[in-house]
Amino acid sequence: MRARDGDDSVSVSGSALGYALLSLLTRGPATGYQLTQRMKSPIGHFWTAQHSQIYPELARLAAAGWVEAAEGDGPGPRQKKTYTLTPDGLAALREWLPRPPVVAPRSETVLKAYAANSADPAAMADLYGGIAARQRSLLDEWTREAAMLRDAGHDDPAHPGFGNYAVLLMGIESARSTAAWADWLVTCLRTGRAVGFGDPIPSGA
Amino acid sequence: MRARDGDDSVSVSGSALGYALLSLLTRGPATGYQLTQRMKSPIGHFWTAQHSQIYPELARLAAAGWVEAAEGDGPGPRQKKTYTLTPDGLAALREWLPRPPVVAPRSETVLKAYAANSADPAAMADLYGGIAARQRSLLDEWTREAAMLRDAGHDDPAHPGFGNYAVLLMGIESARSTAAWADWLVTCLRTGRAVGFGDPIPSGA
DNA sequence: AGTTGACATGTCAGAAGTTACATAGTGAGG
DNA sequence: CCTCACTATGTAACTTCTGACATGTCAACT
């Protein structure tokens, strides 16, 4: 499945996680621990991984020659390893990037809406009210973050931080849509009547 | 993990897939094959499963007493089983629905944008141009579908088809956001300059 | 002096999900 | 007559992901 030593001819194919780690390493060398942190924001809103998945994957990437580890003394009993993207790794990433992505959406939030009228409308309204509130708070936070990045020039496609900015914008769009949809759902569930999407929310009536 | 015969006291916890199948069965009895089809639209845009996952899960649900199988002759060598949601199954679903959903977003599309400036801008612009086009065609299709459902009264929260309508609306919102974002990305990548989100797209200039 | 949290790396068991294999009847179209 | 697509149910091998276990240092706070 992945290249072994002296097996250069085989087309080396990585998992999405592998490419995610390579992407993170384009931001500079890092330890597995730092990659775990770096994955949290902003890409974490669209791609997550635990350290228990990251460490073995880094070992595989190193075996494939896509990353290189510099060892040093760590705080614990083991060696601390700082990984760097190799030219081969960058080439692999560049080859993977323009390929059409695998679309595999999975949202428990929407799944629950699918069965919404099997449950108590008031309870479901509360659920989606909470979801809308959380999405709006994320929206606020990310909007402020995006403004800062824009001021720092990250909206320039040539800026190394452009990817972060792009992800943040998608996060904002996604939060906005979800909040608007959840608001509509809440209004439907609370009034018990058909409501047009985007119709004004009847306030305290 | 799941209840066995005569083990009623244990809190029976299901997987998200199990609840997805229960949700599908609120639309009426179905075979595993029919559930596989039923899952494709519209909930398939936010939750998918292969038949190889569905058949064993149905067996587990039956063992837990959440669904009941009526056997009959099938086209192949095996018995055809038509599953029905039991009162216990509906109760379990109703208990699960209002609980806060697990949020686990995963989008290769956004992941690739995160590393966009490691690749050839023209290739990435093509990629996101294609994505925007596909999202717009889905948007068209779903908008027409939603209009039909609305005419059929599915926008009434009491209508059994309300869940389908709600999922479709989220699909529409999601496609709209993604298309707008992809358009912005394409403009950035093609012009090579900072572009405001929502700014008019320079046409053939 | 003791606790908590951050830094740092790993393993293991199990759950969840994908792909391919296996079987077989019916009806439509070429 | 043959092939293809649809209906229908399952298994097996494999990959991916989560959650828990395991270890140990250092700095800050109580």
Side-chain angles (χ1 to χ4, degrees):
Chain A
M1 180 220 128
R2 195 171 264 103
R4 281 149 194 79
D5 306 61
D7 194 9
D8 302 275
S9 63
V10 172
S11 117
V12 187
S13 84
S15 60
L17 173 62
Y19 291 111
L21 295 177
L22 296 180
S23 301
L24 289 169
L25 285 172
T26 62
R27 268 70 176 173
T31 65
Y33 183 87
Q34 289 173 320
L35 289 173
T36 308
Q37 310 305 116
R38 205 178 278 184
M39 189 166 265
K40 282 180 186 159
S41 177
I43 190 60
H45 310 307
F46 295 99
W47 199 275
T48 54
Q50 312 295 317
H51 77 274
S52 57
Q53 221 189 329
I54 291 173
Y55 286 113
E57 185 64 31
L58 281 170
R60 280 189 288 267
L61 292 173
W66 288 1
V67 300
E68 229 167 28
E71 301 199 12
D73 285 350
R78 294 195 188 82
Q79 287 290 96
K80 166 175 154 174
K81 291 166 193 162
T82 302
Y83 291 93
T84 311
L85 190 59
T86 64
D88 271 12
L90 181 59
L93 179 62
R94 285 173 60 83
E95 195 266 320
W96 174 75
L97 282 171
R99 291 215 304 261
V102 178
V103 193
R106 192 142 288 214
S107 166
E108 244 184 69
T109 301
V110 184
L111 178 56
K112 280 172 190 242
Y114 181 69
N117 53 15
S118 289
D120 173 45
M124 293 309 279
D126 286 351
L127 176 68
Y128 286 100
I131 288 169
R134 232 164 304 130
Q135 293 293 316
R136 262 190 299 272
S137 103
L138 283 174
L139 184 57
D140 271 19
E141 187 188 324
W142 294 345
T143 302
R144 265 176 285 129
E145 232 176 289
M148 290 202 312
L149 289 185
R150 201 160 42 239
D151 290 343
H154 286 59
D155 58 344
D156 181 343
H159 194 287
F162 178 73
N164 291 48
Y165 182 67
V167 169
L168 207 51
L169 282 199
M170 185 66 236
I172 287 169
E173 280 307 292
S174 171
R176 195 199 305 282
S177 316
T178 305
W181 174 78
D183 280 341
W184 165 80
L185 237 189
V186 169
T187 310
C188 286
L189 292 167
R190 285 215 216 278
T191 64
R193 307 235 232 96
V195 175
F197 191 94
D199 281 6
I201 297 158
S203 54
Chain B
M1 181 218 127
R2 195 171 268 102
R4 281 148 192 78
D5 306 63
D7 195 8
D8 303 273
S9 64
V10 172
S11 116
V12 187
S13 83
S15 61
L17 173 62
Y19 291 111
L21 295 178
L22 296 180
S23 302
L24 289 168
L25 285 172
T26 62
R27 267 70 176 172
T31 65
Y33 183 85
Q34 288 173 321
L35 289 173
T36 309
Q37 310 306 116
R38 204 177 277 183
M39 189 167 266
K40 283 179 186 158
S41 176
I43 190 59
H45 310 306
F46 294 99
W47 200 274
T48 53
Q50 312 295 317
H51 77 272
S52 58
Q53 222 188 328
I54 289 174
Y55 287 113
E57 184 63 32
L58 281 170
R60 280 189 287 267
L61 292 173
W66 288 2
V67 300
E68 229 167 28
E71 303 200 10
D73 284 351
R78 294 196 187 80
Q79 288 290 97
K80 165 174 152 174
K81 291 167 194 162
T82 303
Y83 291 93
T84 311
L85 190 60
T86 65
D88 271 12
L90 181 59
L93 179 62
R94 284 174 60 84
E95 195 267 321
W96 174 75
L97 282 171
R99 291 214 304 261
V102 179
V103 195
R106 192 143 288 214
S107 166
E108 244 185 68
T109 301
V110 183
L111 178 57
K112 282 173 189 240
Y114 181 69
N117 53 14
S118 288
D120 174 44
M124 293 308 280
D126 287 351
L127 176 68
Y128 286 100
I131 288 169
R134 233 164 304 129
Q135 294 292 316
R136 260 191 300 270
S137 103
L138 284 175
L139 184 57
D140 271 19
E141 187 188 324
W142 293 345
T143 301
R144 264 177 286 129
E145 232 175 290
M148 290 203 310
L149 289 186
R150 200 160 41 239
D151 290 343
H154 286 59
D155 57 344
D156 181 342
H159 194 287
F162 178 73
N164 290 50
Y165 183 67
V167 169
L168 208 49
L169 282 199
M170 186 66 238
I172 288 169
E173 280 306 291
S174 171
R176 196 199 303 284
S177 316
T178 306
W181 173 77
D183 281 341
W184 166 81
L185 237 189
V186 169
T187 311
C188 285
L189 293 166
R190 285 216 215 279
T191 64
R193 307 235 232 96
V195 175
F197 191 94
D199 281 6
I201 297 157
S203 54

